[in-house]
Amino acid sequence: QVQLVESGGGLVQPGGSLRLSCSKSGGSFSFSIYDIEWFRQAPGKQREWVASISSGGVTTYANSVKGRFTISRDNARNAVDLQMDALEPDDTAVYYCVAGRSVVAELYSSWGQGTQVTVSS
């Protein structure tokens, strides 16, 4: 079972930055072989895909965050980071990471607790 935990959320002003991390949490799986996806869910909205990084390091982004967010992985730390710059109020959401290759949230049956990101002045 692939167990991941999110961290790094917080309150930031518009235009600010945050760095989220997705780390291995228990289990004997090899973190490096998995593609990792970041999703987010704002209050009253459906969970949406944000960014992906493949096991080989290929990255893709949702149009809404392209040019502002950067996803990276450090297999030595068993972690995938999401650097978020130029944050906007619409980025306010709970952010989740999952191991997988789909950008469709409904295809995932298990989620972690996520980490809250609030962008507000």
Side-chain angles (χ1 to χ4, degrees), residues 28-95:
S28 61
F29 64 94
S30 178
F31 184 88
S32 63
I33 69 172
Y34 287 93
D35 295 357
I36 301 295
E37 316 287 335
W38 278 99
F39 288 81
R40 66 186 181 186
Q41 187 166 22
K45 295 187 177 181
Q46 291 187 330
R47 195 164 299 186
E48 65 173 358
W49 171 74
V50 174
S52 302
I53 188 164
S54 73
S55 59
V58 176
T59 60
T60 52
Y61 300 91
N63 287 335
S64 59
V65 306
K66 196 173 296 183
R68 300 187 299 120
F69 289 12
T70 303
I71 189 171
S72 60
R73 70 187 304 152
D74 183 345
N75 290 329
R77 288 194 298 122
N78 288 323
V80 166
D81 295 332
L82 185 68
Q83 176 68 39
M84 306 187 296
D85 298 317
L87 283 162
E88 304 168 353
D90 283 350
D91 295 318
T92 296
V94 179
Y95 284 70

